[in-house]
Amino acid sequence: VADLPVCVEDTAAGPLHSRIVRHGGEHRIGRIPIAPARRADADLLALLALDPRIATCDPASALYLDTETTGLGPGAGTVAFLVGLAWFEPGRDGMPPGLVVEQLLVRRLGEEAPVLARIAERLAEASMLVTFNGKSFDMPVLRTRFVMGRMEIPVEPPHLDLVHVARRLHKGRGIGATLGAVEREVLGFVLENDVPSGEVSACYLHFLRTGDPRALMGVVEHNAWDVVSMAALVGLYGEPLEGTQLEAGDLVGVARTLKRAGSADLAFEVADTAVARGAGHEGTRARAEIAKARGDKTRALADFEALAESVDDPRVRLELAKLYEHHAKDVSRALALVEAGTGEADELRTRRETRLRRKLEKQATRRLL
């Protein structure tokens, strides 16, 4: 394996080709440090992941995993030829805790057993598994490889798949949900001379045909950075919200996710912070929706009124019409909004308008009596 940055280790399953890199707690991916991942708030991560099992896990003992494969689908013919693993180790020799990155290379097709055995060992030691799209891709690929190798599929700890969290939190940015996009736009990190995802498999096949290690150097670096980036994201998503480095628009995504998770009070606090930090219309809309869900109709009314003054949105008029009718008891304002258009189906709009006109007629009759 000349010139490839890997060592050979004799194991019970055969020779294991691996690379170990250690990063100190001060290490950053772009502008985001990795150290906060060790002390991330597991309860908050569980809410953002919509998975209560994550709350029982210790992020300091998480295993980060990313694969490079010979195909783009998790079928039986796809091989995970390079597997990146990372975990935090305790401080030693007076140094603070750091992140260990271990990369496992399938040097030749058919030599997967030692790689799979090492993965099983790491999974058994982990409190939780962290991936980016691992539920849909990485883990199905690895499970298939265990089956193909006639090896027992290891028990997996609770799985935090960051792709779902990223989609919810960064929806307003319109950046997509690839790890590369999140690294660039959220972490502020761009890997120079990176290997495009579509060329990874070709690099490995070229290496198999020629033995030229240069074909894999870029893939190895790409994999190493990706697995460390996940630690930076866990630290970012799981840090106390009052000190968060998330942008105002991302906090809107946090607030909506917390509302969906059933944590309405915390959701309102985050939405309020988002508005204060300049989240604009979307922040105000989120705060209004959450206030309404909490039963704070006065706050919801004030926010929807502010929105109606600055945006032309039928959905805002519909929410205001409901609040004017049932909370403020201002039927005439509610009717005016319905007449301006609320985006409802014709049948629903007609039914609402008829009910409001009937209420107005009853009010007029009572005034005459």
Side-chain angles (χ1 to χ4, degrees), residues 302-315:
D303 278 339
F304 278 122
E305 284 179 333
L307 277 174
E309 292 177 359
S310 55
V311 299
D312 181 16
D313 190 333
R315 296 170 298 172

Side-chain angles (χ1 to χ4, degrees), residues 7-337:
C7 297
V8 182
E9 175 186 346
D10 289 327
T11 73
L16 176 67
H17 301 273
S18 66
R19 178 198 190 201
I20 296 284
V21 178
R22 285 181 166 82
H23 297 290
E26 75 287 350
H27 189 72
R28 290 174 174 265
I29 296 292
R31 56 179 171 269
I32 305 300
I34 61 172
R38 292 186 66 254
R39 53 183 184 274
D41 186 334
D43 290 326
L44 178 57
L45 291 174
L47 291 170
L48 297 179
L50 303 178
D51 185 352
R53 295 173 299 171
I54 302 299
T56 67
C57 302
D58 179 7
S61 301
L63 178 69
Y64 299 87
L65 181 147
D66 185 52
T67 64
E68 307 301 333
T69 64
T70 58
L72 299 178
T78 298
V79 175
F81 68 86
L82 181 64
V83 180
L85 305 171
W87 64 92
F88 284 96
E89 64 177 356
R92 55 183 185 176
D93 300 328
M95 299 296 291
L99 186 73
V100 180
V101 178
E102 180 180 44
Q103 293 175 279
L104 312 174
L105 174 66
V106 177
R107 179 67 179 79
R108 296 183 181 85
L109 293 177
E111 296 183 355
E112 295 174 83
V115 170
L116 296 174
R118 180 58 55 86
I119 294 169
E121 291 174 16
R122 299 303 183 205
L123 285 171
E125 298 168 352
S127 65
M128 61 190 287
L129 175 64
V130 181
T131 67
F132 198 96
N133 200 35
K135 288 185 176 180
S136 297
F137 185 74
D138 301 79
M139 293 314 296
V141 167
L142 291 175
R143 291 187 206 109
T144 299
R145 301 321 301 171
F146 276 100
V147 172
M148 298 293 289
R150 299 183 180 181
M151 299 173 67
E152 183 178 353
I153 298 176
V155 176
E156 297 169 26
H159 187 164
L160 172 60
D161 191 334
L162 293 172
V163 72
H164 304 298
V165 180
R167 284 173 178 162
R168 297 177 192 122
L169 270 56
H170 310 306
K171 184 177 180 180
R173 296 191 189 220
I175 61 175
T178 65
L179 183 52
V182 174
E183 287 172 342
R184 181 179 63 253
E185 301 297 333
V186 179
L187 301 179
F189 170 76
V190 177
L191 179 60
E192 297 294 333
N193 302 315
D194 192 17
V195 178
S197 297
E199 297 179 11
V200 166
S201 177
C203 290
Y204 181 61
L205 295 178
H206 179 73
F207 170 72
L208 291 179
R209 286 194 305 268
T210 67
D212 183 358
R214 293 173 298 178
L216 277 186
M217 296 298 289
V219 178
V220 171
E221 289 303 312
H222 171 100
N223 176 260
W225 283 109
D226 278 357
V227 77
V228 179
S229 291
M230 287 188 276
L233 287 173
V234 167
L236 180 64
Y237 296 154
E239 66 183 351
L241 292 171
E242 62 270 14
T244 184
Q245 295 187 62
L246 288 169
E247 294 184 0
D250 298 329
L251 289 177
V252 175
V254 172
R256 288 192 165 129
T257 304
L258 292 174
K259 174 178 177 286
R260 183 177 169 185
S263 186
D265 290 344
L266 181 57
F268 182 82
E269 291 180 26
V270 176
D272 200 40
T273 300
V275 172
R277 294 188 181 182
H281 298 152
E282 283 305 302
T284 303
R285 185 192 300 268
R287 187 173 66 181
E289 293 168 351
I290 294 166
K292 181 182 176 183
R294 295 172 71 227
D296 186 353
K297 302 298 178 61
T298 300
R299 174 75 263 176
L301 179 62
D303 278 339
F304 278 122
E305 284 179 333
L307 277 174
E309 292 177 359
S310 55
V311 299
D312 181 16
D313 190 333
R315 296 170 298 172
V316 173
R317 289 194 288 272
L318 176 60
E319 293 296 339
L320 263 181
K322 293 176 182 179
L323 287 165
Y324 279 137
E325 179 183 1
H326 302 295
H327 172 66
K329 308 300 182 184
D330 193 333
V331 180
S332 60
R333 280 192 174 184
L335 180 58
L337 287 164

